[in-house]
């Protein structure tokens, strides 16, 4: 991309916080981003923060899960001691407090506004960025999921802020308006000019950031001395393969707790002729492979 073309890519400011669903939909159209006020109460923020911290140190103790510094995708060598952040994956299995985010009434209609009514969950995880982290490359969430770029939204993401986010603690950096940019290369998006357009958000805990899968964004630098935690719940149009294979990763005791609607969003559902069984597009939420899958038969 020529320098003059990069100059034509102008970022917008962040939209204001709102709790008005219709206004939030307008923000999504205009900015590719909406900031929703108080999607959870401060009591819920406190309880979730405690659960996440236990999980962070539990995964640390048991040497499981994913530890990062942030800049792994640049291919740099990183010593274990420098991996100050954790991605706590698949929160569905890690506490009842997270199940609400599968179909949260203040978030889910906005996801449907971006990608359509029929939606499946891509993954749910906590981005717990430690102080001393580094920047990841700017990216579009839907960019690497298909063999070639597509200029329509088939993915939408939400982040519920469990910490107040600010430039000091590495608030998520997004480029409002970038969902309408022409397709650009990864290297171009990570040029200095475009990196400078991605500013850390300032917003209080309890806020949800909802964004189109085409918005360029990344993490911010946390130098606050404390962990910054945001819960990302990402969704897809149902023809795309999700990041987490919920059909085999969800624990049995958790499956018993979720509603039929949530099961369907987790991928226990069919879409047209896709995702059924035995050639049938009907995939009951309670499908039992032992009794319903047709095996070898004889007359
Ligand atoms: O942690 C953040 O603020 C952003 C994380 C992110 O964009 C990602 O992991 O894809």
């Amino acid at each position: 991309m020529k320098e003059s073309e990069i100059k034509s890519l102008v970022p917008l400011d962040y939209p204001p916080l709102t709790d008005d669903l219709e206004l939030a939909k307008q923000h999504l159209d205009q900015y590719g981003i909406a900031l929703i006020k108080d999607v959870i109460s401060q009591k819920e923020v406190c309880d979730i923060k405690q659960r996440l911290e236990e999980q962070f140190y539990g995964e640390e103790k048991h040497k499981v899960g994913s530890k990062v510094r942030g800049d792994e995708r640049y291919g740099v060598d990183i010593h274990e001691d420098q991996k100050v952040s954790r991605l706590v994956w698949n929160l569905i299995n890690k506490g009842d407090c997270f199940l609400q985010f599968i179909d949260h009434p203040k978030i889910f209609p906005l996801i449907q506004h971006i990608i359509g009514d029929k939606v499946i969950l891509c993954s749910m995880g906590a981005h717990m960025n430690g102080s001393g982290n580094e920047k990841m490359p700017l990216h579009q969430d839907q960019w690497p999921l298909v063999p070639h770029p597509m200029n329509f939204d088939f993915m939408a993401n939400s982040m519920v802020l469990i910490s107040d986010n600010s430039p000091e603690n590495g608030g998520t950096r997004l480029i409002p308006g970038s969902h309408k940019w022409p397709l650009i290369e990864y290297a171009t998006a990570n040029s200095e000019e475009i990196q400078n357009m991605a500013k850390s958000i300032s917003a209080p805990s309890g806020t949800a950031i909802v964004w189109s899968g085409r918005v360029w964004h990344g993490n911010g630098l946390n130098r606050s001395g404390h962990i910054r935690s945001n819960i990302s719940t990402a969704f897809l149009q149902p023809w795309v393969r999700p990041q987490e294979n919920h059909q085999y990763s969800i624990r049995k005791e958790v499956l018993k707790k979720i509603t039929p609607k949530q099961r369907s969003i987790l991928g226990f559902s069919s879409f047209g002729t896709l995702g059924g069984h035995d050639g049938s597009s009907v995939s009951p939420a309670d499908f039992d492979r032992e009794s319903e899958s047709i095996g070898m038969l004889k007359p």
Side-chain angles (χ1 to χ4, degrees), residues 70-71 73-74 135-139 173 186 190 195 217-218:
D71 50 348
R73 279 185 249 169
Y74 286 111
K135 280 185 191 163
M136 59 176 53
L138 293 178
H139 57 279
R173 294 179 308 135
Y186 202 54
N190 281 285
Q195 279 281 354
H217 67 283

Side-chain angles (χ1 to χ4, degrees), residues 73 87 127 129 136 139 141 157 159 165 170-173 211 217-220 228 230:
R73 279 185 249 169
L87 299 176
H127 295 256
N129 294 350
M136 59 176 53
H139 57 279
D141 282 329
N157 204 345
M159 262 198 176
N165 275 222
T172 303
R173 294 179 308 135
W211 72 84
H217 67 283
N219 64 346
R228 190 238 56 186
N230 290 354

Side-chain angles (χ1 to χ4, degrees), residues 8-283:
S8 70
L9 304 174
V10 183
L12 305 177
D13 290 331
Y14 280 110
L17 280 171
T18 182
D19 53 11
D20 177 330
L21 195 64
E22 291 313 309
L23 187 60
K25 289 180 187 172
Q26 286 174 29
H27 289 167
L28 285 173
D29 296 341
Q30 186 182 349
Y31 302 87
I33 298 170
L35 305 178
I36 318 303
K37 224 175 171 170
D38 300 331
V39 295
I40 51 173
S41 67
Q42 283 305 306
K43 161 88 174 73
E44 287 175 293
V45 166
C46 258
D47 294 347
I48 291 177
K49 191 175 211 159
Q50 189 183 346
R51 179 75 280 280
L52 283 180
E53 281 177 9
E54 284 167 2
Q55 191 69 29
F56 185 104
Y57 292 109
E59 295 195 3
E60 185 89 19
K61 178 174 169 195
H62 291 277
K63 298 192 176 8
V64 294
S66 175
K67 270 182 97 161
V68 294
R69 183 169 75 173
D71 50 348
E72 281 68 13
R73 279 185 249 169
Y74 286 111
V76 287
D77 267 345
I78 300 164
H79 191 268
E80 273 307 296
D81 296 347
Q82 297 173 310
K83 296 182 178 174
V84 293
S85 303
R86 273 189 173 269
L87 299 176
V88 179
W89 289 111
N90 204 13
L91 292 179
I92 315 277
N93 281 340
K94 298 179 180 171
D96 293 355
C97 53
F98 303 118
L99 299 180
Q100 60 179 314
F101 300 124
I102 301 171
D103 55 349
H104 196 287
K106 294 186 180 171
I107 300 174
F108 197 66
L110 296 171
I111 298 292
Q112 290 179 307
H113 179 73
I114 301 172
I115 57 175
D117 285 347
K118 188 89 168 110
V119 162
I120 53 168
L121 195 81
C122 180
S123 61
M124 188 196 294
H127 295 256
M128 301 183 70
N129 294 350
S131 193
N133 71 342
E134 290 298 333
K135 280 185 191 163
M136 59 176 53
L138 293 178
H139 57 279
Q140 293 172 301
D141 282 329
Q142 70 179 43
W143 186 84
L145 300 185
V146 289
H148 51 86
M150 288 188 176
N151 58 0
F152 66 92
D153 292 320
F154 59 81
M155 184 174 192
N157 204 345
S158 62
M159 262 198 176
V160 175
L161 312 191
I162 304 304
S163 311
D164 294 339
N165 275 222
S166 67
E168 203 205 355
N169 72 357
T172 303
R173 294 179 308 135
L174 302 112
I175 308 185
S178 57
H179 65 308
K180 290 189 183 161
W181 286 1
L183 296 172
I184 56 173
E185 291 299 321
Y186 202 54
T188 310
N190 281 285
S191 61
E192 207 182 324
E193 293 96 311
I194 295 186
Q195 279 281 354
N196 289 339
M197 295 177 192
K199 307 268 187 257
S200 271
I201 200 159
S202 291
S205 59
T207 302
I209 317 171
V210 180
W211 72 84
S212 130
R214 286 185 295 161
V215 167
W216 288 93
H217 67 283
N219 64 346
L221 285 186
N222 181 355
R223 298 292 178 263
S224 66
H226 303 283
I227 295 173
R228 190 238 56 186
S229 301
N230 290 354
I231 294 177
S232 156
T233 312
F235 300 85
L236 295 162
Q237 289 183 342
W239 53 272
V240 193
R241 197 178 163 100
Q243 189 169 24
E244 178 75 36
N245 190 334
H246 297 107
Q247 281 111 312
Y248 76 62
S249 72
I250 297 187
R251 296 175 66 90
K252 278 196 182 135
E253 71 272 16
V254 178
L255 267 182
K256 286 188 198 136
K257 292 180 193 164
I258 58 178
T259 65
K261 180 181 175 195
Q262 291 177 326
R263 278 178 88 102
S264 164
I265 296 167
L266 286 165
F268 295 80
S269 54
S270 60
F271 172 61
T273 55
L274 305 176
H277 68 92
D278 291 296
S280 158
S281 57
V282 181
S283 179

